[in-house]
Amino acid sequence: MDRGKLAWKISVVGSGGVGKSSLISRIIYNTDKASSLKSLHKKSIKLEGKNGPLPVDLMLLEIDPARNEEKLMAGSNAVLVVVDITNPGTLKDAERYLGLVENSDSSKITKLLATKLDRKYEAKIWDDELGLLAKKYGIEFFKLSSKTGEGFDAFFDHLKLSLLDRYYAGRKESA
Ligand SMILES: Nc1nc2c(ncn2[C@@H]2O[C@H](COP(=O)(O)OP(=O)(O)OP(=O)(O)O)[C@@H](O)[C@H]2O)c(=O)[nH]1
Ligand SMILES: [Mg+2]
């Protein structure tokens, strides 16, 4: 039986300039160079499903809640909240955005991402602060650079596993 291809929406949430577009480019093209001004991007991947390869389209959407875009998060399968390790104000923003996610409809996959890791010598956000915030919301945090790719594969592999787990857990519930 062909149930059609799966499409999962992933919201990339963060304040102006934290690196949302660069992260999406890293996910889609494996470079940090944004190649278009579209706000919705598609990445076709194959996950290692229980019964063989599971093709999925990831729909990536960039959202800046400071511009009142938070409604766009509705229906997301995953939300990636992004902070810029060189900009401490973005951690405060992230805390507010995590609150928005927590209060919205369902139990989405949520991850806290600290970007611009290639500029770690200018970092103004520390691991213990990231750890505390992540713990408060019961989520994991990752550090990565969209520019160099450092830390990206570990994060993306983890995200794919989380999405797969969620998919099979949901099917069990509805069976
Ligand atoms: N060094 C470094 N610079 C980065 C990284 N990610 C993004 N930048 C830079 O940070 C600036 C903002 O990046 P964007 O990806 O446009 O950020 P954004 O969150 O989409 O910005 P808005 O859409 O304007 O809110 C650009 O100059 C990027 O080149 C990174 O991992 N390392
Ligand atoms: Mg952008």
Side-chain angles (χ1 to χ4, degrees), residues 15-22 24 34 62 67:
S15 305
V18 289
K20 301 178 295 294
S21 300
S22 304
I24 290 173
E62 175 168 349
R67 288 190 227 143

Side-chain angles (χ1 to χ4, degrees), residues 139-171:
I139 61 177
E140 282 147 301
F141 77 88
F142 295 83
K143 295 188 296 178
L144 60 93
S145 167
S146 303
K147 187 174 182 180
T148 63
E150 180 182 1
F152 174 77
D153 287 346
F155 151 70
F156 197 52
D157 287 347
H158 176 94
L159 176 66
K160 287 188 279 194
L161 281 180
S162 298
L163 285 165
L164 205 53
D165 282 351
R166 176 61 49 94
Y167 171 66
Y168 286 118
R171 277 164 44 106

Side-chain angles (χ1 to χ4, degrees), residues 8-172:
W8 294 337
K9 176 173 164 182
I10 300 182
S11 293
V12 178
V13 182
S15 305
V18 289
K20 301 178 295 294
S21 300
S22 304
L23 175 70
I24 290 173
S25 298
R26 177 57 64 184
I27 292 173
I28 305 245
Y29 308 109
N30 205 26
T31 85
D32 66 329
K33 302 290 183 291
S35 78
S36 83
L37 295 170
K38 282 185 305 185
S39 64
L40 185 66
H41 300 260
K42 186 172 91 174
K43 167 87 172 173
S44 300
I45 58 170
K46 273 204 180 68
L47 298 171
E48 285 170 37
K50 286 181 179 165
N51 305 312
L54 186 67
V56 179
D57 285 339
L58 301 182
M59 312 303 298
L60 289 133
L61 182 66
E62 175 168 349
I63 297 171
D64 182 348
R67 288 190 227 143
N68 293 317
E69 295 174 337
E70 73 268 16
K71 281 200 180 71
L72 301 174
M73 273 194 280
S76 299
N77 296 75
V79 177
L80 309 176
V81 175
V82 183
V83 303
D84 170 352
I85 57 163
T86 69
N87 182 347
T90 63
L91 192 67
K92 284 225 160 57
D93 293 342
E95 174 138 31
R96 199 162 63 76
Y97 305 156
L98 286 167
L100 291 174
V101 179
E102 198 174 46
N103 292 330
S104 69
D105 48 48
S106 64
S107 54
K108 306 170 168 62
I109 293 169
T110 309
K111 310 284 177 199
L112 177 63
L113 299 188
T115 56
K116 309 195 186 178
L117 184 58
D118 58 291
R119 293 176 62 193
K120 51 181 162 289
Y121 301 110
E122 301 160 66
K124 297 198 174 73
I125 295 175
W126 309 110
D127 283 13
D128 48 357
E129 297 175 286
L130 291 165
L132 275 176
L133 183 57
K135 195 172 166 200
K136 179 172 172 188
Y137 288 92
I139 61 177
E140 282 147 301
F141 77 88
F142 295 83
K143 295 188 296 178
L144 60 93
S145 167
S146 303
K147 187 174 182 180
T148 63
E150 180 182 1
F152 174 77
D153 287 346
F155 151 70
F156 197 52
D157 287 347
H158 176 94
L159 176 66
K160 287 188 279 194
L161 281 180
S162 298
L163 285 165
L164 205 53
D165 282 351
R166 176 61 49 94
Y167 171 66
Y168 286 118
R171 277 164 44 106
K172 218 184 279 166

